């Protein structure tokens, strides 16, 4: 492709005037071959028709956000020389995004939220665990911003199926995928001849997975050169995020990422009678440990969902305990020796911070030595009268979304009181329900703005 660039740059020809002075036929033929290969031109023969060729070049220039000259000018040839995705927007039904955005949406749009994924055929040149890691991280870039979840499975009929196969020589086509609604929907093929790497030394597998997954989700190429969905390889660095342009497209299809403030299903909670119960089996009325010396009744379940997948932050501590909670769930910590106990979002806990564990009936400061993430089916958010709960021996708040234990606890006071009174009068019934408690929903919605208006936050 570099050869093509050099040759054509030396002999630029003008399609509009159809009077190229120095246009060796083999160079024009290579440009035509490129346009046919990526779907802008129906056949090599069609390249002999000036109108067809102009239309093809115009389509290419639109997709790449170039000036529309309909000529094989220098920017066009330069763009053709870059490694790219095999997909093209040509001949696709599409809907445009907002006027200030450059993305295009495929039709029909996806209507799923949970995508299972697997690697069907592996690359020989990269260890398998690194291939899994690259794919997982590449997928997560979409889940970081939009309301969808990716879950690894080891079956070949997963929603997203990664294949490494030979496509063409290195440096030209990197990969392609299939849009929703097609026979091979969910299949993604990566060129095994490329040098795939975890960073940008070769081609970043993680980065291209993010791009191809955009297609799987129903997003076409964007003409924004900074977007993940730009047609050619444009690495944005190791800690990249999807760009506002990509994010807008994804949110139209899947909605905004919701931050459920919950615990994972398998955390163990100590009951006052000495028994333990898993978070998923916890019921209203259970009396659970809330600190080293205190137990409190579960007054309600602010949120409970057994079916949806959720990603949790897992904090492992020096004492061997661990706790799994969503990123905007509050947990008490101490960051330094001089600092008081304070409540922060789980996502703001750093390695070396100290959480509060209960060991042999005593509260200890317990250093966080590992932070990782886990995805489980099901999430749970019990509210105790005290507003705290001890899970796997580590104390956590019952609250989320507002980074203040006192405001959250205050906003739930009416509900905690009502439940307490009902319990005293024995009119409360233990019940299961899916979804967030109505009062919790209201509080989550209004506590933050109220707190901000009061100048507390
Ligand atoms: Zn693409």
């Amino acid at each position: 492709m570099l050869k093509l660039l050099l040759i054509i740059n030396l002999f630029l020809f003008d399609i509009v005037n159809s009077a190229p002075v120095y246009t060796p036929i083999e160079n024009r033929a290579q440009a035509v071959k490129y346009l046919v290969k990526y779907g802008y031109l129906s056949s090599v023969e069609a390249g002999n028709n000036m109108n067809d060729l102009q239309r093809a070049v115009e389509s290419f220039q639109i997709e790449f956000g170039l000036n529309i000259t309909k000529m094989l000018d220098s920017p066009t040839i330069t763009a053709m020389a870059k490694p790219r995705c095999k997909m093209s927007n040509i001949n696709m039904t599409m809907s445009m995004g907002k006027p200030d955005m450059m993305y295009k949406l495929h039709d029909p749009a996806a209507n799923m939220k949970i995508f299972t994924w697997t690697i069907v055929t592996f690359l020989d040149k990269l260890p398998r665990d690194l291939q899994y890691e690259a794919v997982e991280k590449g997928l997560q870039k979409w889940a970081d911003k939009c309301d969808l979840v990716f879950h690894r499975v080891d079956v070949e009929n997963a929603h997203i199926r990664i294949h490494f196969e030979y496509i063409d020589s290195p440096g030209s086509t990197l990969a392609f995928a299939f849009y929703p609604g097609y026979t091979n929907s969910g299949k993604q093929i990566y060129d095994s001849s490329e040098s795939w790497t975890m960073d940008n030394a070769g081609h970043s597998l993680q980065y291209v997975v993010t791009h191809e997954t955009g297609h799987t989700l129903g997003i076409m190429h964007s003409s924004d050169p900074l977007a993940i969905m730009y047609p050619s390889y444009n690495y944005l660095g190791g800690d990249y995020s999807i760009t506002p342009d990509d994010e807008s497209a994804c949110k139209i299809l899947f909605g905004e990422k919701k931050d459920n403030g919950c615990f994972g299903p398998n955390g163990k909670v100590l009951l006052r009678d000495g028994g333990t119960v898993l978070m998923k089996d916890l019921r209203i009325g259970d009396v659970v440990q809330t600190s080293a010396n205190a137990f409190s009744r579960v007054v309600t379940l602010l949120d409970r969902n057994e079916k949806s997948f959720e990603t949790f932050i897992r904090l492992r501590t020096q004492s061997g305990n661990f706790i799994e909670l969503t990123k905007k769930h509050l947990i008490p910590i101490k960051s330094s020796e001089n600092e008081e106990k304070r409540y922060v979002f789980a996502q703001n806990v750093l390695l070396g911070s100290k959480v509060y564990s209960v060991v042999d009936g005593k509260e200890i400061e317990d250093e966080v030595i590992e932070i990782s993430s886990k995805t489980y089916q099901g999430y749970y958010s019990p509210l105790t009268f005290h507003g705290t709960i001890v899970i796997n021996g580590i104390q956590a708040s019952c609250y989320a979304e507002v980074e203040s234990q006192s405001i959250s606890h205050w906003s739930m006071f009416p509900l905690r009181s009502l439940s307490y009174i009902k319990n005293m009068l024995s009119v409360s019934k233990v019940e299961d329900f899916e979804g967030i408690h109505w009062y919790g929903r209201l509080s989550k919605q209004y506590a933050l703005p109220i707190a901000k208006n009061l100048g507390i936050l």
Side-chain angles (χ1 to χ4, degrees):
M1 197 53 70
L2 184 62
K3 194 175 159 193
L4 170 71
L5 168 69
L6 293 173
I7 293 170
I8 296 187
N9 268 331
L10 286 172
F11 302 102
L12 286 179
F13 55 92
D14 183 341
I15 294 174
V16 173
N17 297 324
S18 66
V21 180
Y22 300 108
T23 310
I25 189 71
E26 63 269 27
N27 300 329
R28 178 176 173 139
Q30 287 186 46
V32 166
K33 208 170 150 191
Y34 176 98
L35 293 167
V36 171
K37 178 178 180 180
Y38 293 105
Y40 302 96
L41 198 57
S42 60
S43 65
V44 171
E45 291 70 36
N48 296 324
N49 181 305
M50 204 50 64
N51 286 335
D52 286 352
L53 190 51
Q54 283 184 26
R55 267 198 298 273
V57 174
E58 182 182 20
S59 298
F60 176 84
Q61 289 172 335
I62 290 172
E63 185 160 344
F64 278 72
L66 303 172
N67 284 338
I68 300 169
T69 62
K70 302 184 186 180
M71 295 188 295
L72 286 167
D73 51 19
S74 181
T76 305
I77 298 302
T78 302
M80 282 183 176
K82 290 180 179 170
R84 61 165 291 168
C85 169
K86 195 181 180 186
M87 319 279 282
S88 59
N89 285 356
I90 195 81
N91 295 332
M92 283 286 171
T93 308
M94 65 177 85
S95 54
M96 312 297 274
K98 293 175 189 167
D100 58 336
M101 293 292 171
M102 317 292 274
Y103 64 82
K104 317 280 183 302
L105 295 179
H106 184 261
D107 187 34
N111 58 4
M112 294 161 59
K113 295 277 189 188
I114 300 164
F115 290 82
T116 55
W117 65 272
T118 193
I119 301 178
V120 180
T121 54
F122 290 85
L123 193 66
D124 293 335
K125 294 170 269 185
L126 197 64
R128 289 191 175 194
D129 58 337
L130 291 184
Q131 293 178 54
Y132 278 124
E133 182 186 331
V135 174
E136 183 165 22
K137 286 182 174 173
L139 294 169
Q140 188 57 35
K141 298 296 180 183
W142 294 103
D144 285 344
K145 302 286 183 182
C146 303
D147 188 21
L148 45 87
V149 172
F150 298 99
H151 186 64
R152 182 181 147 189
V153 291
D154 290 322
V155 293
E156 290 199 2
N157 62 350
H159 297 122
I160 297 173
R161 303 170 304 284
I162 309 285
H163 295 251
F164 288 93
E165 294 173 7
Y166 179 80
I167 299 177
D168 58 16
S169 54
S172 41
T173 303
L174 297 178
F176 63 98
F178 292 83
Y179 287 115
Y182 283 69
T183 310
N184 283 317
S185 166
K187 188 172 181 182
Q188 298 180 3
I189 299 178
Y190 296 78
D191 189 357
S192 56
S193 78
E194 298 293 339
S195 171
W196 294 109
T197 52
M198 299 300 283
D199 51 21
N200 200 31
H203 289 117
S204 162
L205 178 56
Q206 175 186 332
Y207 186 81
V208 179
V209 165
T210 307
H211 176 98
E212 295 308 326
T213 302
H215 292 314
T216 300
L217 298 177
I219 305 170
M220 301 175 71
H221 283 158
S222 168
S223 51
D224 178 352
L226 292 177
I228 297 282
M229 293 314 293
Y230 192 68
S232 60
Y233 182 77
N234 186 24
Y235 188 63
L236 299 175
D239 56 351
Y240 67 91
S241 300
I242 61 170
T243 67
D245 191 75
D246 305 304
E247 199 176 321
S248 296
C250 182
K251 283 180 180 171
I252 283 185
L253 295 174
F254 300 98
E256 196 151 349
K257 169 80 181 163
K258 289 186 192 131
D259 289 314
N260 295 309
C262 302
F263 299 110
N266 303 318
K268 276 187 189 164
V269 179
L270 182 64
L271 298 171
R272 185 157 60 185
D273 64 12
T276 55
V277 64
L278 292 180
M279 181 56 63
K280 64 184 178 186
D281 298 323
L282 200 60
R283 294 290 179 266
I284 296 169
D286 285 346
V287 180
V288 300
Q289 188 173 33
T290 56
S291 65
N293 305 312
F295 288 81
S296 165
R297 190 175 299 276
V298 175
V299 294
T300 191
L301 298 168
L302 293 172
D303 214 346
R304 183 171 191 270
N305 190 316
E306 292 179 338
K307 298 184 183 76
S308 293
F309 286 85
E310 183 59 76
T311 301
F312 302 90
I313 292 176
R314 173 190 261 220
L315 305 173
R316 198 160 67 81
T317 64
Q318 189 91 52
S319 70
N321 293 335
F322 68 87
I323 187 166
E324 291 162 340
L325 64 181
T326 46
K327 63 183 183 182
K328 287 207 170 170
H329 204 107
L330 290 173
I331 183 164
I333 66 158
K334 182 175 177 179
S335 300
S336 64
E337 278 311 310
N338 303 326
E339 193 183 78
E340 295 288 305
K341 186 180 199 174
R342 67 190 175 101
Y343 287 79
V344 298
F345 288 146
Q347 67 183 9
N348 295 332
V349 176
L350 304 174
L351 281 176
S353 295
K354 287 173 179 166
V355 296
Y356 292 86
S357 288
V358 180
V359 176
D360 298 329
K362 290 192 179 125
E363 182 180 275
I364 63 158
E365 293 169 4
D366 199 1
E367 187 175 330
V368 175
I369 57 169
E370 186 183 288
I371 300 174
S372 56
S373 70
K374 287 287 246 183
T375 301
Y376 292 112
Q377 191 170 19
Y379 54 79
Y380 306 83
S381 180
L383 173 64
T384 65
F385 193 76
H386 290 163
T388 55
I389 187 165
V390 176
I391 298 169
N392 292 343
I394 299 175
Q395 190 183 38
S397 166
C398 293
Y399 304 117
E401 294 192 35
V402 180
E403 202 167 18
S404 165
Q405 174 75 4
S406 56
I407 290 171
S408 301
H409 201 50
W410 165 81
S411 72
M412 289 290 174
F413 178 74
L415 179 63
R416 288 183 293 114
S417 303
L418 184 64
S419 298
Y420 185 75
I421 293 164
K422 282 170 91 176
N423 184 61
M424 294 297 284
L425 296 173
S426 300
V427 294
S428 158
K429 63 175 181 178
V430 177
E431 57 187 346
D432 292 347
F433 68 96
E434 292 285 334
I436 191 164
H437 189 281
W438 65 270
Y439 187 85
R441 190 187 300 127
L442 282 178
S443 296
K444 281 185 174 189
Q445 191 174 346
Y446 294 117
L448 187 59
I450 288 171
K452 279 185 174 164
N453 281 338
L454 291 174
I456 301 170
L457 286 179

